[in-house]
Amino acid sequence: SQQGEEDPQALSIQEGENATMNCSYKTSINNLQWYRQNSGRGLVHLILIRSNEREKHSGRLRVTLDTSKKSSSLLITASRAADTASYFCATEKGGSEKLVFGKGTKLTVNP
Amino acid sequence: DTAVSQTPKYLVTQMGNDKSIKCEQNLGHDTMYWYKQDSKKFLKIMFSYNNKELIINETVPNRFSPKSPDKAHLNLHINSLELGDSAVYFCASSQREPGLGTFGPGTRLLVL
């Protein structure tokens, strides 16, 4: 079964810096999504990018998708302490409503 | 207003017991899900319901049985709890496209 895998597993940066997280997967997909999870809280959907899209923006978030390399990246620009959370990518395979999540990247933004 | 709520938030119980986790969403979504997040933080879908009908049933033990009395509720009943059932269980709901959804806060289950 396909599995999104994020790297790095943990990332620590200073406020104002950019944070880049990567995700790789194994099989063809319909779309790829990024989620955020604050410690002890539920998951929050951030952005969805379809398999025929290459780049998408939402506020300070920029997501790229390279289907030839089966990889995606999430860039958070001008990070804030409030961005501290775990970030998960999730893939949806064609013909299925199932989401498969990776293990996540734990981002710490130091004030 | 909480969009997707789960009760209880924490559940500690003994092996062999039967327990239920409840989920309710007030977003008017048609699809609801149960996910299991194990100790390694990997999320796996367990069940998906659309308008009270089961549409995804992953390979989970028969001890797990979802029940959807109406499209705003999806409860999870677990029989004969085992140590390996310890995890955080997330309920979620979505409309139209899976993933453009909202997750509940999770229920942390610990089986002793």
Side-chain angles (χ1 to χ4, degrees):
Chain A
S1 60
Q2 66 188 45
Q3 178 175 332
E5 296 192 357
E6 295 92 335
D7 79 83
Q9 289 188 330
L11 181 61
S12 182
I13 59 174
Q14 294 299 121
E15 230 175 4
E17 293 180 341
N18 295 342
T20 300
M21 290 161 269
N22 302 300
C23 170
S24 61
Y25 56 93
K26 295 177 182 172
T27 63
S28 62
I29 59 172
N30 263 0
N31 60 66
L32 185 144
Q33 302 137 38
W34 285 92
Y35 286 81
R36 180 176 112 170
Q37 184 183 34
N38 288 77
S39 181
R41 305 287 296 273
L43 288 164
V44 174
H45 180 262
L46 294 176
I47 198 165
L48 178 149
I49 186 165
R50 297 177 208 282
S51 59
N52 61 353
E53 296 176 309
R54 292 296 166 258
E55 189 171 310
K56 217 167 177 181
H57 297 254
S58 176
R60 292 184 296 113
L61 305 179
R62 173 176 163 243
V63 168
T64 62
L65 179 65
D66 187 335
T67 52
S68 65
K69 294 180 180 177
K70 292 187 169 54
S71 68
S72 171
S73 68
L74 171 67
L75 168 67
I76 304 175
T77 60
S79 64
R80 305 167 183 167
D83 295 329
T84 295
S86 289
Y87 291 82
F88 294 87
C89 72
T91 53
E92 186 205 352
K93 199 165 73 166
S96 167
E97 293 191 44
K98 180 171 68 173
L99 289 178
V100 178
F101 286 84
K103 294 183 181 179
T105 293
K106 187 177 171 73
L107 173 67
T108 302
V109 181
N110 301 300
Chain B
D1 285 339
T2 304
V4 181
S5 60
Q6 295 178 227
T7 55
K9 192 173 180 179
Y10 299 97
L11 184 54
V12 182
T13 187
Q14 299 287 329
M15 276 177 59
N17 283 351
D18 302 338
K19 292 293 178 185
S20 291
I21 308 172
K22 296 185 177 181
C23 178
E24 176 181 1
Q25 54 98 1
N26 61 6
L27 299 166
H29 288 167
D30 288 330
T31 306
M32 294 184 73
Y33 311 81
W34 275 109
Y35 288 88
K36 179 182 178 180
Q37 184 184 45
D38 61 22
S39 58
K40 295 178 182 177
K41 299 296 183 184
F42 187 69
L43 277 158
K44 286 186 178 180
I45 191 168
M46 299 173 69
F47 302 102
S48 172
Y49 268 73
N50 185 276
N51 276 320
K52 302 196 300 176
E53 288 190 27
L54 180 66
I55 54 174
I56 292 177
N57 183 354
E58 287 301 299
T59 306
V60 296
N62 291 337
R63 299 180 295 103
F64 290 79
S65 54
K67 286 185 171 49
S68 182
D70 55 62
K71 78 171 195 176
H73 296 85
L74 181 62
N75 303 324
L76 184 64
H77 188 77
I78 315 170
N79 289 326
S80 304
L81 279 155
E82 300 178 355
L83 294 176
D85 297 333
S86 295
V88 181
Y89 292 85
F90 285 97
C91 175
S93 72
S94 71
Q95 186 78 334
R96 297 193 192 94
E97 295 189 32
L100 292 173
T102 305
F103 281 74
T107 294
R108 187 174 294 278
L109 171 65
L110 179 61
V111 182
L112 302 174

